Each structure stands twice: as structure tokens, then as C-alpha cells.
Amino acid sequence: PPRAARSRTKQMAKVGLREFTSLARVLADGRLLRYGKGSRGATAAFETAFAAQMGCAHVLTVNSGTSALIAALAAAGIGPGDEVLVPAYTWVSTAIAPLAVGAVPVLVDIDESLTIDPAAIEARITPWTRAIMPVHMLNLPCNMAAVMDIARRHGLVVVEDACQAIGVTYRGRPVGTIGDLGAMSFNHHKNMTAGEGGAVLTDDERLFVRAQ
Ligand SMILES: *Cc1c(COP(=O)(O)O)cnc(C)c1O
């Protein structure tokens, strides 16, 4: 991978005065629950702003990137008996998420890009395959054109794991907004952090409601 891409992921995001004052506003407001009392809190405001920045219709914030992956698979109706294709090189959450909904993760080789090898995907497709989870590792975007083409031809759902790549674009589009659903992580080691946190991204209102 490009040296810059590797070293970027090694740096932990710094938090400082801007985060302190943002958090102080929430504490001063006193409403720590996301729901209730009608008015919109900081979480809802973030979801609206993040959706606008990413250029997608719906954002659902959750407690982690792992939860975002699980919610995305559940939203797509993936469950027991289903197989989900995941790259052999990733963080464990990509394989744990299918297990969490009762599905079976099936490993697919990566190529020199360090992301899922499109040429290796079709050999792993069986009658039980329901979804592909391409992972944009180390800020390196997957070959999404090839992944989407294979998915459409085989009727598979695409859940992009963009947990390590917030802000990265592929052919001008933010990664995480190209597949049917995308997952982001706001863990301390990621590009943009809240300490812990995550988000599901989708343009499909039905999938959004099911993810909720
Ligand atoms: C960090 C990460 C996750 C999970 O994110 P958490 O917020 O730590 O749960 C999932 N997939 C990849 C590729 C990651 O790097």
C-alpha cells in the first residue's frame, strides 16, 4: 500500500478543545438520551450532517462499527443458512457480523490492492450465498465496479465495510455509499472518532428502517 495510507491508519485521532466544547454543549443541554422530548438532539443533528457530507439518504448511528455491520446484515434479512463473502484480510468484525446474525462467513482471497480480489469472488459463490462484504482496508478503496457487477449478476446484497476508510472516495463517490449498505466506525483508531461509535449508511429507506 502507499506509505501515506499505512501511516495514516497508525495515527490515533487527537481530541482537543473543539471536542471538549462540543461535549460540554451536550452536557449543559442535559438531554443525554438520543430519543424523547420531541426536540432533536446532537445525535440526530450529526446523522443529518453526516448524510449530507457523504451524499447518502440515511445515516443510523450505533455504538460501534461492529454493530453497524450487524445492523446492516440484519436489515438486509441475512440470517441462518446464508453465506456471506468476506475478504481473508480484514479486522475480525467483518467475519463476526455474519456469525452474529446466524450466517456463515466465507473467506475470499485478497489481491495486491490488499482488498477483496474480484477474480476470486465467483468461485466462492454457492446457492446459499446472499451477500458480499468488501472491506476498504487501510484507506484503500476496493474495486467497487467489479464487486457491484458480480453482486448484480448473482443477486447478492453488498454491505461495504468502510470502518477504516471514512472520507475515502472511489471514482468520486465516498466509500460506504456505493453498496446497498455501508458501515463506518468511530473507534479511537479510525479516521474520525468519538472514542467508540459507528454508523450504517444507505439510500434505501426500507433498509434504513429495518436497520433501526
Ligand atoms: C474497526 C473495524 C471494524 C469495527 O469497528 P468497531 O467500531 O471497532 O466495532 C470493522 N471492520 C473493520 C475493517 C475495522 O477496521
Side-chain angles (χ1 to χ4, degrees):
R3 177 167 301 236
R6 266 187 290 142
S7 59
R8 260 205 307 280
T9 61
K10 290 235 171 79
Q11 283 172 5
M12 301 243 282
K14 293 188 177 67
V15 291
L17 197 57
R18 292 210 306 181
E19 289 74 20
F20 187 82
T21 53
S22 298
L23 187 56
R25 269 201 295 277
V26 175
L27 294 176
D29 182 61
R31 289 172 305 164
L32 302 186
L33 288 178
R34 142 174 214 149
Y35 298 107
K37 286 270 158 99
S39 56
R40 290 165 47 82
T43 305
F46 169 78
E47 288 175 340
T48 303
F50 194 49
Q53 187 166 356
M54 290 287 123
C56 72
H58 305 285
V59 168
L60 172 67
T61 50
V62 290
N63 64 316
S64 72
T66 307
S67 295
L69 291 169
I70 294 169
L73 290 174
I78 311 294
D82 296 334
E83 292 180 356
V84 178
L85 304 181
V86 305
Y89 175 51
T90 182
W91 174 244
V92 291
S93 301
T94 323
I96 285 171
L99 291 172
V101 298
V104 178
V106 174
L107 301 186
V108 178
D109 276 338
I110 60 165
D111 60 22
E112 297 75 14
S113 72
L114 299 185
T115 69
I116 196 163
D117 181 359
I121 292 176
E122 276 179 296
R124 307 297 270 158
I125 293 175
T126 73
W128 297 279
T129 310
R130 290 283 316 282
I132 309 176
M133 298 175 81
V135 183
H136 309 287
M137 282 298 276
L138 303 164
N139 287 314
L140 302 165
C142 300
N143 182 346
M144 286 306 293
V147 169
M148 295 308 291
D149 176 60
I150 294 166
R152 294 300 171 244
R153 278 193 284 110
H154 293 272
L156 305 177
V157 173
V158 175
V159 175
E160 282 180 271
D161 182 338
C163 288
Q164 292 193 8
I166 298 177
V168 171
T169 57
Y170 171 82
R171 297 189 182 174
R173 285 184 68 180
V175 296
T177 68
I178 301 163
D180 300 286
L181 297 128
M184 303 291 195
S185 168
F186 308 131
N187 172 275
H188 198 180
H189 296 276
K190 308 307 164 86
N191 291 349
M192 188 170 86
T193 186
E196 297 285 2
V200 182
L201 279 63
T202 185
D203 279 333
D204 186 317
E205 189 178 2
R206 180 173 166 276
L207 290 175
F208 172 64
V209 170
R210 285 178 57 94
Q212 284 183 304

